[in-house]
Amino acid sequence: LSSGVCCCCAALRPRYKRLVDNIFPEDPKDGLVKADMEKLTFYAVSAPEKLDRIGAYLAERLSRDVVRHRYGYVLIAMEALDQLLMACHSQSIKPFVESFLHMVAKLLESGEPKLQVLGTNSFVKFANIEEDTPSYHRRYDFFVSRFSAMCHSCDPDPEIQTEIRIAGIRGIQGVVRKTVNDELRATIWEPQHMDKIVPSLLFNMQKIEDIDRTVGAPSSPTGGEKDENPAVLAENCFRELLGRATYGNMNNAVRPVFAHLDYHRLWDPNEFAVSCFKIIMYSIQAQYSHHVIQEILGHLDARKRDSPRVRAGIIQVLLEAVAIAAKGSIGPTVLEVFNTLLKHLRISVDFELGDRRSSAGSATFSTSSKESDERIVQNAIIQTIGFFGSNLPDYQRSEIMMFIMGKVPVFGIPSQSLDTSHLGDLGTRRIQIMLLRSLLMVTSGYKATAITNALPAPFLDPLLSPSLMEDSELRQLVLEILHNLIDRHDNRAKLRGIRIIPDVSDLKIKRDKISRQDVSFMKKHGQQLYRHIYLGCKEDDNVQKNFELLYTSLALITIELANEEVVIDLIRLAVALQDIAIINEDNLPMFNRCGVMALVAAYLNFLSQMIAVPAFCQHVSKVIETRSLEAPYFLPETIFKDKCNLPKSLEKHEKNLFFLTNKITESLGGSGYSVERLSVPYVPQVTDEDRLSRRKSIVDTVSIQVDILPGNNTEDKIDNTEEITFEALKKAIDNNGLEEQEKEKRRLVIEKFQKAPFEEIAAQCETKANLLHDRLAQILELTIRPPPSPSGTMTITAGHAHYQSVPVYEMKFPDLCVY
C-alpha cells in the first residue's frame, strides 16, 4: 500500500520537477544523465515560462546538497544550470538568471575551495553570454566583494591559494565584462567597487613581482602558464578594465592605485609603481592620458610633506607617464605640469635649506643624507621637466621656455618669479641653478628657423641679466643655454674644448648664408651678447669650463650670425678682452689673465681661418708662434694644464706677443672690410640693473673712458692738483698748445661719432646721463630735507632704518600757524 501511495505521489508531481529529478543518477559518480538532460533542455526551450520554476527547483536541490556536503550532486546541478543557460536565450531567462546567481552565491559563500572555483567557473560562463536586453535592476555588489576577497586568499596550501586567487581574478574579469558594456548600468565604476577591484588586482601583480625580484629575472610564460599565473591574469584584467574606462569614470579607476601604493609604501623603491603606471598609460585611450597626469600631480601635492624619497618616487612615475603621454595628446595640462613641478622644486630647496639651517654647528649624518635625498628630488624634477619639454613641438616648447624663464628670480625685471624672499641669497641661487638646469634640458635639441624665434627679447633680457652672473655655475648654465639655441647645425660638438685648431676646415663645419632675420637680430641684440661675453671674462672665479664655454659662444656666433659688420665687432671685442688681461683694472688673478689671453688667441685663430683673409691669418699665426716660444702660458694648451708656471706680471712682455689693432686693420683693409670702426675701442652697454644690482657695476669701467664729474676721493684731488711754477705759468700763456689740444679733442669726437656704431654712442650717452642723474639725486638728497614731524623721521644708516622723534615744544612753526 505504501509503495502504491509513493508511486501515486510521484505521478502527481509537476513535470518540470520530474524532469529535473531524472537528471540526477543514484550514484553521483556516474555524472549527469545525458538523455534526461536533453529532455529537460527540450522542455525548457519549448515552455520558456517554466524556466523560472526549473531554476528555483534546481536552486533548492543545490542548497540542500551543499548543506549535506553532497558535492557530487552539486557538480551535477551546476552542469545542468550551465547547459540550460547556454541553450535558452528568451525573455523569460531573466527570472532563471536570478536563481542561477543565487546558486553561484551559495557556492562562493561555502568554505570549500572546490565549490568556490566551481561557482566562479559558472559565473564566468554566464558573463560571456550576451543578453538581448540588459537587466538594470540586477546588481553584482556581492560578487565584487566575494571575488575581491578570493584574490587575497591566504590558504596554507600554496596550490589551493593560487587556485582560489586565480578564480577570484577570473570572477572580477567576468563582472567587468558583464557590466561595463552597458552605459546605463555603470555601477561597477562606483568608488566603493573600484576600491575593491583595483587593489585586488594590484595585490596579485605585486606579489609575483616580489617573488621575481628575490628569485631573479622570470622567464616568459608559455600559453599554459599564463592561465595559471595570477600576476599575468591580474595584469590582463587590469588592462581590460582600464581599456573600457571612459571620460567620466577614469579617475575612479586610477585613484585606488595611489591608495594601494601609499598603504603598502611602494613609492620607495618605486619599480612596481612605475610598472603600474606604464600599464595604465598604455591601456587607457590616448585622449584621457591627461587625466592620469593630473591625478599624479594632485597626489604629489597631497604628499608634499612626505620624505624626499617618496616624493622622488612619485616624480619618477610622473616622468614615465609624461614620456608616454608626450608622444600623443596631453591636452591642457602642459603648463600645469611645469607649474606644479617648479612649485615642488622651490619646496624642495626650501626643505634643504631649512635642514641646513637647523643643523648649523652640528653636522650629523642624518641631516647630510636628507640633504642628498632632496637633491635626488630636485634632479628628478629637472629630468622630468627636461624630458617633457624636449618631447613637445617647437611652438609649445618656446612657450615653456618663456614660462620657465619667467620663474627665474632676476633682479629688476618684472616676472612671475617664484616666491624666494624667505630663502635668502643661498636659496635664490639654488632656485636659479635648478631652473636654469631645467631650461637647459628643455632647450636641448631645439632648432629654430630664425634666431629671433629662439631668442626673443623677453627671453634674452633676463637670461643675460647680471643677476645670473654672480656665480661660476650660473654663468656656465647661461652659456650652455645660449649654445643650445644658437647652434642650429650641430657644430658645438666639433668645437668642444678650447684649443688652437691647426686647420678649421678639418672640422667640416656646417653653416648657411646669414638670413635677413639674423642680421636684424644682431643689429638689435648683438651688443647684449658681446656685453655678456665681455663681463663673463672679467669674473675672478672663472674656471677652465667657463673659458671653454666663452670660446664656444664666440665661435658659434661667428658660424651662425656673423656677417662682415659682426666680424668687425667680434674682433673689437677680442681686442677689448686682451686689454682686460693686460691693463688688469679689475685686479684679476694671473690665471684668469692668462686664460683670457688664451681665449683670445684660440678665437682669433678660429675667426681668421673662417673668414680666410691671408694677411689676417698670417698675423694671428705669427703671434701664436711667438707665444709658443716665449710665452706658452698665453696659449690654451699650456695654461689649462694642471701644473703651469704663471708669469709674475704682463707689463714687461713685448708687443709681438699681442694681437695689435693696427696690424689687424692693415690685414683686413685690403679685403673689403670696413676697418674704420676697429680704431674705436669696444665699450659695453650699461643697463639700469648694472647701477642698481649688488655686483660691481660696469659703470666704474666705462667712466674711465668718459669724462664726467671729478671724484670725491681725496687722493684723486691731490693727484689732479698741479704745482704752480714758472714752467706752468709759461705753458698757460702759450695759447698755441691749447688750441692744438682743443682741435685734437674735437677731431676725436667727430671721428667717434662718424665711425663708432650707434649702440656704443647711445651707451656712452646713456651712461653720462645716468651718472649725472645719480649725482643730482645725491645733491638733492643732501640739500632738501622734509620738515620735522612729531611722529619722527626715518634715517637710513648702514642699511638700517632708524626713526628720530622731535618733541612738539622744540619744533619751530611759522607765525601764520601760531595763534
Side-chain angles (χ1 to χ4, degrees), residues 698-757:
I698 189 179
V699 173
D700 300 336
T701 304
V702 179
S703 61
I704 295 172
Q705 304 179 23
V706 182
D707 294 332
I708 311 294
L709 296 175
N712 295 326
N713 197 341
T714 57
E715 295 180 1
D716 294 340
K717 291 182 180 180
I718 294 174
D719 295 339
N720 293 332
T721 303
E722 190 174 350
E723 185 180 358
I724 301 175
T725 61
F726 175 77
E727 293 295 332
L729 293 174
K730 186 177 179 180
K731 289 180 181 179
I733 296 172
D734 188 7
N735 294 328
N736 294 330
L738 293 175
E739 290 179 0
E740 291 179 0
Q741 291 179 4
E742 291 295 331
K743 288 181 181 179
E744 181 64 20
K745 286 183 179 180
R746 283 196 293 270
R747 188 187 66 80
L748 291 176
V749 171
I750 293 172
E751 182 180 359
K752 180 173 68 175
F753 277 87
Q754 287 178 344
K755 297 180 180 180

Side-chain angles (χ1 to χ4, degrees), residues 43 113 132 184 203-204 286 331 442 455 466 485 563 681 700 742 770:
Y43 177 76
D132 297 335
L184 297 179
F203 175 77
N204 285 275
V442 172
L455 292 171
L485 298 174
N563 55 6
D700 300 336
E742 291 295 331
N770 290 334

Side-chain angles (χ1 to χ4, degrees), residues 69 102 114 126 195 233 349 663 700 803 811 816:
H69 300 284
H102 178 69
K114 292 183 179 180
F126 162 71
D195 290 343
L233 191 60
V349 173
K663 295 284 187 181
D700 300 336
Y803 288 88
M811 295 176 60
L816 295 176

